[in-house]
Amino acid sequence: MRLHSLVFLLPFLFILGCRSNVSSSGEERIISFETFGIQPNSKKNASIFAKKLIDSLQKIPADERVKVIFPKGRYDFYATGSFTREYYISNHDQLNPKNVAFALENLENITIDGQGSEFIFHGRMIPFSIIKGENISLQNFSIDFENPAFRQLTILAVDENKGEVTASVFPENNHVIENHKFYRTGESYELNLFQAMPFRADRRLAYQRSDVAFNPKEIEEISPNQLRIKGWYQIPLTSVGERFALRSHKRPTPGVFISQSKNTAVDNIQLHYAEGMGLLAQMSENIFLDGFSVALKGKDDPRYFTTQADATHFSACKGVIVSKNGLYEGMADDAINVHGTYLKIIKRLDAKTVQAQYMHPQAWGFVWGEKGDEVQFLESEKMELLGDNFTTKIASIYAVDQPRAFGAKVFEITFENEIPKEINEKGKFSVENLTWTPEVIFSNNVIRNNRARGALFSTPKKVICENNVFDHTHGTAILLCGDSNGWYETGACREVIIRNNQFINALTSNYQFTNAIISIYPEIPNLEGQEKFFHSGIVIENNTFETFDQPILYAKSTDGIVFRNNVITHSDEFEPFHWNKHRFFFEKVKNVLIEKNQFENGFNPEKDVSVGERFALRSHKRPTPGVFISQSKNTAVDNIQLHYAEGMGLLAQMSENIFLDGFSVALKGKDDPRYFTTQADATHFSACKGVIVSKNGLYEGMADDAINVHGTYLKIIKRLDAKTVQAQYMHPQAWGFVWGEKGDEVQFLESEKMELLGDNFTTKIASIYAVDQPRAFGAKVFEITFENEIPKEINEKGKFSVENLTWTPEVIFSNNVIRNNRARGALFSTPKKVICENNVFDHTHGTAILLCGDSNGWYETGACREVIIRNNQFINALTSNYQFTNAIISIYPEIPNLEGQEKFFHSGIVIENNTFETFDQPILYAKSTDGIVFRNNVITHSDEFEPFHWNKHRFFFEKVKNVLIEKNQFENGFNPEKDVRIELSEEKGIQIK
């Protein structure tokens, strides 16, 4: 192995040795920055003098070696007076023009030596760009920004009873509060900071709290740089001393930008902040980082954050990337990411020519390839190479949508050979540039306390990752990826050596691709259809893993994994939490060797290695939803994909007008190793009003329903006088929040028969206050006085409840897909109009749609009065039995004394123009309902499963009237005598046409 490594390093050593001596003979010229008229610590705008410097460098012959030195001190660079450039930067926002302090363009043999100076930047700008340069070196200085885009909150006090925290803001000033939103201001731009990275006081990112939304109901600046924050879901979770680094998702400018350059060295540079990547290199050859760090300013730095995105990022480079002796901490993304970019083939012009396009909105506008570059082709759904190791070379390439590659998205590429015949625009095919793929050495670095992942490698050339410390990376420490469907980042790894690294309690929260400490996770939508493996040649040896949890290695679509001579020890720092309960989890792999490892707590292959059927192990706990909305108005949640929550996906209570468009509780595509999503419902609306619109969502893998809309009955526990009662929340998971307000309209219910009291009697709340708490917050018992005398029969000896009619919503649930979830699909319990249309209920494990109502167990109101279920598709719903699952559509209020009931509970149900594909009999069950129309529906038969349900009838009715069944199509025929069961109902109340 030593000899092999030596052979591998010889080209690197040759390049390293040449990079300071490739110029001509003669001594190195020394130029001092002060000769251009500026002294350190002067606070003058150094951008003006940087332009003078670079103008002078442009006049020096290219073969002369030049070192520019900066007398040690502080230099301030402002956007005003700097270079203005149009740059297209991989994995960044393509905003132009950009301000640049040092635009090192078309230069050779230049060293910038800061001699320990501090370079401080003001405004949105790129500190250094190296464009079409050769033998450029940056060394011995630090980079920081006076007014970063981040703001950091330090929690000073927490008052859970009041639901508020007090926090200080750092850096101070340069912010405003508008409509209870926080904006960073100053130095030419402002940003709404809506997301947060939560840090413990010891600078570790908070356990199991990733990508925290900063969306409090109220923010008040009670004194300069001190905030009072109310109605934020983090309040019960936080504590004094925690920091929240507030940020946006913008990434306009890296700290160092390298493009189309060769032999670039960055040594002993400390970068403390950038609004994008710390260092971004694209289409460049041979890059050497030694002591480049993205880090805080030591233990006393008040900041806990550094860059907005990755510390270092290399897109479509070649030669070698060496990154060693660095410290990477506090980033909002990874320490290193090495990849190329797939172009999607959008048109085939002839046997050798295609049009291909950059697809990701942050990756376009820069050169993709050159004549003579070697390429290969990929089918994107299966992530499989086309042909038998087929490659060819570019004969010509030019931009289609721009005069040149600069700023282009679409290219016309002609190849030297005919390309595989199956490539066309109808399929999903991509092209990968193999020439622009680098070898990588990532060694002797420390990565700690950062969001997301540690190191990402996606290159077919050799990768050595050795002697690093991965210390509390919030997600996966090392990821080998590959994706031609989302980020379009190439490519397959062929030889990766991960050795002699130390992993200390990595993976303390979940992010994308974070299935284990080391995650080999290409994105493959059609993994089952894949025949060729994506990654290969992975060796993981002589590492130490100190971990509090189980998952060490996850691998997908990989041929050749060696995991040997590693030591795994146990830590008690955190409680285990990860969904992956296996040391090793393999999906579609072969040639795997696990040998000679030491496990402190032992190793049981049957338990610790997972290959095959999945069991989603869970408890019944549901402590936290993914999105929590309370006492809010006009809330919109658009195009959000929630992949997991330990409670509901979205829970809204006592809120008015909620609009979901494209909100999904879903897996991360077909190749997601998870089969589960939320611990409970995908969406749940308790005691809301106005309108709830939920459309264009995907809901799958939940442990409960896709949507549940209801109010909450309070049980009357004491009558105080003719107008006053004490009433109580009854379910152990439903209490502590506001139930009603003065002026709300209410009605009363006898719980055994689920009958309303009086002749449509309603009244309004005159006053309401908590009995067991100082206020409604945290209360279970309320004293309520009404405007009118209430029915005389109401007392504590019977079973009576009160329902708040004001807090009941209209519902539109449309164009959603609900599939592969436990329990039921959609639940509606509201007297207001409900439209459920154009949805697909695909293999819901229980009932697809339930209309309920219960004042004895869950205490969930209320009676439906107008429900339209139309144009939906039901595909083999009800493959198992759960509560209330008597048919595909189940109208099932809980009524202990159904026989004694005189008034019907539900009414006004229309089910029309739906299709039911089913292997079993029960289509509709209804209880205590006045008014059902079932018409123009199509029922077809499926052989996917054997019939099993106890209900052997298409229609089962208990205590119903005014039922109409007409104009339906039954593939296997319809026999009313056999297919309709009627109990506690008059047959004349049921018409079948």
Side-chain angles (χ1 to χ4, degrees):
M1 181 59 70
R2 183 183 298 275
L3 179 60
H4 186 68
S5 298
L6 179 61
V7 172
F8 174 59
L9 287 171
L10 282 175
F12 306 161
L13 296 174
F14 175 77
I15 295 168
L16 284 166
C18 290
R19 65 180 186 176
S20 61
N21 295 290
V22 291
S23 62
S24 67
S25 59
E27 295 296 324
E28 183 176 59
R29 182 192 296 195
I30 305 296
I31 299 175
S32 177
F33 192 48
E34 65 183 347
T35 62
F36 297 93
I38 187 170
Q39 295 294 321
N41 309 312
S42 66
K43 296 188 178 180
K44 289 182 179 180
N45 182 2
S47 295
I48 298 168
F49 304 97
K51 290 181 75 172
K52 293 180 179 180
L53 165 66
I54 291 170
D55 286 344
S56 72
L57 294 178
Q58 297 286 353
K59 300 172 184 176
I60 297 174
D63 62 352
E64 184 172 349
R65 292 186 297 124
V66 177
K67 176 183 282 189
V68 179
I69 61 171
F70 287 72
K72 185 175 180 180
R74 169 173 168 148
Y75 297 86
D76 290 86
F77 300 86
Y78 292 80
T80 302
S82 66
F83 292 96
T84 301
R85 291 290 187 265
E86 181 180 359
Y87 289 153
Y88 294 89
I89 305 175
S90 181
N91 295 77
H92 279 71
D93 302 326
Q94 307 297 17
L95 302 176
N96 279 301
K98 296 175 171 68
N99 293 104
V100 186
F102 292 88
L104 303 171
E105 298 171 345
N106 300 297
L107 294 172
E108 297 182 29
N109 304 316
I110 304 293
T111 298
I112 305 293
D113 186 348
Q115 299 190 125
S117 292
E118 297 176 87
F119 293 169
I120 307 298
F121 297 86
H122 301 260
R124 179 172 279 167
M125 62 192 305
I126 300 173
F128 285 86
S129 67
I130 302 172
I131 313 298
K132 296 181 179 178
E134 187 168 350
N135 303 317
I136 306 296
S137 297
L138 308 178
Q139 60 189 36
N140 303 324
F141 56 83
S142 65
I143 295 172
D144 200 1
F145 282 72
E146 184 73 12
N147 185 10
F150 280 76
R151 285 296 179 272
Q152 182 174 291
L153 302 183
T154 300
I155 303 300
L156 305 177
V158 180
D159 190 330
E160 288 195 49
N161 291 327
K162 292 183 178 180
E164 66 181 38
V165 296
T166 304
S168 61
V169 181
F170 180 85
E172 294 182 344
N173 305 319
N174 293 301
H175 64 264
V176 295
I177 311 297
E178 292 182 1
N179 298 320
H180 301 292
K181 293 183 178 179
F182 187 98
Y183 291 86
R184 172 258 186 237
T185 63
E187 293 193 325
S188 77
Y189 69 100
E190 71 174 38
L191 286 173
N192 173 215
L193 306 184
F194 57 86
Q195 196 170 66
M197 295 164 58
F199 290 89
R200 304 185 324 196
D202 64 359
R203 301 184 187 274
R204 305 290 195 203
L205 278 158
Y207 169 70
Q208 277 195 278
R209 287 154 67 193
S210 54
D211 292 342
V212 167
F214 186 60
N215 56 353
K217 184 177 179 182
E218 297 180 21
I219 309 175
E220 178 187 1
E221 190 155 15
I222 55 178
S223 63
N225 303 301
Q226 192 166 116
L227 308 180
R228 179 186 292 123
I229 301 168
K230 295 183 178 181
W232 185 28
Y233 74 104
Q234 286 291 303
I235 291 171
L237 305 176
T238 192
S239 58
V240 173
E242 278 197 338
R243 272 73 166 176
F244 289 86
L246 306 184
R247 67 189 191 99
S248 73
H249 288 166
K250 300 293 185 183
R251 46 169 74 175
T253 49
V256 178
F257 174 45
I258 304 167
S259 184
Q260 296 175 273
S261 296
K262 186 175 181 180
N263 300 338
T264 305
V266 182
D267 298 340
N268 191 29
I269 305 292
Q270 292 77 48
L271 186 145
H272 302 301
Y273 171 78
E275 201 185 355
M277 312 291 184
L279 180 147
L280 186 290
Q282 66 190 31
M283 292 298 291
S284 293
E285 182 177 359
N286 302 330
I287 301 168
F288 308 92
L289 311 185
D290 188 354
F292 176 76
S293 294
V294 172
L296 306 173
K297 297 178 181 179
K299 295 180 180 179
D300 297 326
D301 192 341
R303 289 189 203 167
Y304 279 40
F305 60 85
T306 54
T307 54
Q308 171 73 300
D310 299 353
T312 66
H313 197 106
F314 303 89
S315 173
C317 293
K318 69 179 180 179
V320 63
I321 294 167
V322 177
S323 177
K324 62 182 182 179
N325 302 319
L327 169 61
Y328 302 106
E329 62 182 344
M331 306 87 67
D333 227 314
D334 319 313
I336 182 173
N337 188 346
V338 181
H339 66 86
T341 303
Y342 291 111
L343 295 185
K344 181 179 180 180
I345 294 172
I346 59 172
K347 194 172 184 180
R348 180 173 184 145
L349 301 178
D350 58 39
K352 295 182 179 181
T353 307
V354 300
Q355 286 186 356
Q357 180 175 335
Y358 281 121
M359 295 303 296
H360 194 275
Q362 289 182 329
W364 58 273
F366 47 93
V367 172
W368 182 82
E370 299 170 336
K371 181 180 179 180
D373 286 353
E374 185 180 17
V375 302
Q376 62 185 5
F377 299 88
L378 185 93
E379 194 283 325
S380 299
E381 286 287 303
K382 294 184 288 185
M383 295 294 284
E384 278 187 335
L385 295 177
L386 299 181
D388 185 13
N389 296 318
F390 173 79
T391 66
T392 184
K393 292 183 178 181
I394 296 174
S396 66
I397 179 171
Y398 65 87
V400 173
D401 57 334
Q402 295 291 332
R404 55 197 180 104
F406 190 76
K409 291 183 179 179
V410 182
F411 299 89
E412 186 167 306
I413 312 173
T414 299
F415 305 100
E416 292 182 356
N417 307 96
E418 291 188 5
I419 61 176
K421 293 180 180 180
E422 60 262 44
I423 294 174
N424 59 63
E425 55 267 35
K426 295 178 181 179
K428 293 184 177 180
F429 300 98
S430 298
V431 58
E432 176 183 4
N433 192 325
L434 292 173
T435 297
W436 290 92
T437 56
E439 297 183 349
V440 181
I441 298 178
F442 187 71
S443 65
N444 294 289
N445 300 288
V446 174
I447 304 95
R448 67 188 184 195
N449 307 330
N450 67 295
R451 176 189 169 277
R453 297 148 298 262
L456 281 68
F457 305 111
S458 299
T459 174
K461 304 288 173 59
K462 188 169 186 177
V463 174
I464 294 180
C465 177
E466 64 181 356
N467 301 318
N468 303 289
V469 177
F470 295 89
D471 182 5
H472 290 78
T473 58
H474 215 205
T476 283
I478 297 175
L479 170 65
L480 310 183
C481 197
D483 165 33
S484 186
N485 296 277
W487 283 98
Y488 285 82
E489 294 183 356
T490 69
C493 294
R494 295 287 176 255
E495 185 179 6
V496 178
I497 300 171
I498 300 170
R499 65 189 177 203
N500 301 322
N501 301 285
Q502 184 180 7
F503 301 91
I504 305 171
N505 282 340
L507 196 49
T508 54
S509 195
N510 278 318
Y511 293 90
Q512 189 180 28
F513 312 121
T514 56
N515 287 7
I517 293 173
I518 298 175
S519 194
I520 305 172
Y521 192 141
E523 284 271 47
I524 306 172
N526 185 10
L527 181 64
E528 291 184 358
Q530 186 193 61
E531 296 178 2
K532 303 174 184 177
F533 293 89
F534 189 76
H535 290 300
S536 61
I538 316 300
V539 177
I540 304 166
E541 62 184 359
N542 301 319
N543 304 281
T544 62
F545 297 84
E546 178 185 340
T547 178
F548 64 95
D549 214 334
Q550 289 298 311
I552 299 295
L553 172 63
Y554 168 82
K556 179 199 297 182
S557 187
T558 306
D559 180 1
I561 301 172
V562 175
F563 187 93
R564 66 184 169 214
N565 295 326
N566 300 286
V567 176
I568 296 90
T569 63
H570 179 70
S571 168
D572 292 320
E573 185 178 3
F574 306 102
E575 289 293 321
F577 78 93
H578 204 278
W579 61 266
N580 179 5
K581 303 304 180 185
H582 307 279
R583 292 298 193 192
F584 303 94
F585 189 155
F586 299 122
E587 289 190 282
K588 205 177 188 79
V589 301
K590 72 174 183 178
N591 295 320
V592 176
L593 174 63
I594 301 173
E595 67 173 359
K596 300 178 182 178
N597 302 288
Q598 300 177 41
F599 296 86
E600 181 182 13
N601 290 345
F603 177 63
N604 180 352
E606 293 184 2
K607 175 185 175 184
D608 292 335
V609 180
S610 174
V611 182
E613 186 175 274
R614 278 72 170 171
F615 291 86
L617 306 182
R618 68 187 190 100
S619 72
H620 287 165
K621 300 293 185 183
R622 45 170 74 174
T624 51
V627 179
F628 177 43
I629 304 167
S630 184
Q631 296 175 272
S632 297
K633 186 175 181 179
N634 300 334
T635 304
V637 182
D638 296 343
N639 192 28
I640 302 295
Q641 292 77 46
L642 186 145
H643 303 301
Y644 172 74
E646 201 182 356
M648 314 291 184
L650 179 148
L651 187 287
Q653 65 188 30
M654 291 297 289
S655 293
E656 182 176 357
N657 301 330
I658 301 169
F659 307 92
L660 312 185
D661 189 353
F663 175 75
S664 294
V665 172
L667 306 174
K668 298 177 183 179
K670 294 179 181 179
D671 62 328
D672 193 339
R674 291 191 204 169
Y675 280 44
F676 62 87
T677 54
T678 54
Q679 172 73 298
D681 299 352
T683 66
H684 196 105
F685 305 88
S686 173
C688 294
K689 68 178 181 180
V691 62
I692 295 168
V693 177
S694 176
K695 62 183 182 179
N696 303 319
L698 170 60
Y699 303 104
E700 61 182 348
M702 306 86 68
D704 228 320
D705 319 310
I707 182 172
N708 189 345
V709 181
H710 66 84
T712 303
Y713 291 111
L714 295 186
K715 181 178 180 179
I716 294 172
I717 59 173
K718 193 172 185 180
R719 181 171 183 146
L720 301 179
D721 59 36
K723 296 183 178 181
T724 307
V725 300
Q726 286 187 355
Q728 179 174 333
Y729 281 120
M730 295 302 296
H731 195 274
Q733 289 182 328
W735 58 275
F737 48 92
V738 173
W739 180 83
E741 301 169 335
K742 181 180 178 180
D744 286 355
E745 185 179 21
V746 301
Q747 61 185 7
F748 299 89
L749 187 91
E750 196 284 329
S751 300
E752 286 291 303
K753 294 183 288 184
M754 294 293 286
E755 281 189 335
L756 296 177
L757 300 180
D759 185 13
N760 295 320
F761 173 79
T762 66
T763 184
K764 293 184 177 180
I765 296 174
S767 66
I768 180 172
Y769 64 88
V771 173
D772 57 334
Q773 295 290 334
R775 56 197 181 102
F777 191 82
K780 291 183 179 179
V781 182
F782 299 88
E783 186 167 306
I784 311 173
T785 300
F786 305 98
E787 291 182 356
N788 307 97
E789 291 187 3
I790 61 176
K792 293 180 180 180
E793 60 263 45
I794 294 174
N795 59 62
E796 57 267 27
K797 296 179 181 179
K799 292 184 177 180
F800 301 95
S801 297
V802 57
E803 177 183 5
N804 191 326
L805 292 173
T806 297
W807 290 93
T808 55
E810 294 186 358
V811 181
I812 299 174
F813 186 70
S814 66
N815 295 289
N816 301 288
V817 174
I818 304 95
R819 67 188 184 194
N820 308 328
N821 67 295
R822 177 189 169 276
R824 298 148 298 264
L827 281 69
F828 306 110
S829 301
T830 174
K832 303 289 174 59
K833 187 172 184 176
V834 174
I835 296 178
C836 177
E837 63 182 356
N838 301 317
N839 303 288
V840 177
F841 295 86
D842 182 5
H843 290 79
T844 58
H845 214 204
T847 282
I849 298 176
L850 170 65
L851 310 182
C852 196
D854 166 30
S855 186
N856 295 276
W858 284 97
Y859 284 81
E860 292 181 356
T861 68
C864 294
R865 296 286 177 254
E866 185 179 6
V867 177
I868 300 171
I869 300 170
R870 65 190 177 201
N871 301 321
N872 301 284
Q873 183 180 9
F874 301 87
I875 305 170
N876 283 338
L878 194 50
T879 55
S880 192
N881 279 317
Y882 295 90
Q883 189 181 28
F884 313 124
T885 56
N886 287 7
I888 292 173
I889 298 176
S890 194
I891 305 172
Y892 194 140
E894 281 273 40
I895 305 173
N897 184 10
L898 181 63
E899 292 184 359
Q901 186 193 60
E902 296 178 2
K903 302 174 183 178
F904 293 87
F905 189 77
H906 290 299
S907 61
I909 315 301
V910 177
I911 304 167
E912 60 185 358
N913 301 318
N914 304 281
T915 62
F916 297 81
E917 178 184 343
T918 177
F919 64 96
D920 214 336
Q921 290 299 308
I923 299 295
L924 173 64
Y925 168 84
K927 178 198 295 185
S928 186
T929 305
D930 181 359
I932 301 173
V933 175
F934 188 92
R935 68 184 169 212
N936 295 326
N937 300 286
V938 177
I939 296 89
T940 62
H941 179 71
S942 168
D943 292 319
E944 184 177 5
F945 306 104
E946 290 292 325
F948 78 96
H949 204 279
W950 61 266
N951 178 6
K952 304 302 180 183
H953 308 278
R954 292 298 193 191
F955 302 94
F956 188 158
F957 299 119
E958 290 188 274
K959 203 176 188 76
V960 300
K961 72 174 183 179
N962 295 321
V963 176
L964 174 62
I965 301 173
E966 67 173 355
K967 300 179 181 179
N968 303 287
Q969 300 177 42
F970 295 85
E971 181 182 15
N972 290 346
F974 177 62
N975 182 348
E977 291 185 1
K978 176 185 176 182
D979 291 331
V980 181
R981 177 178 173 180
I982 303 171
E983 294 184 5
L984 300 175
S985 308
E986 295 182 4
E987 289 190 6
K988 66 180 182 181
I990 301 170
Q991 298 183 57
I992 301 174
K993 298 181 180 180

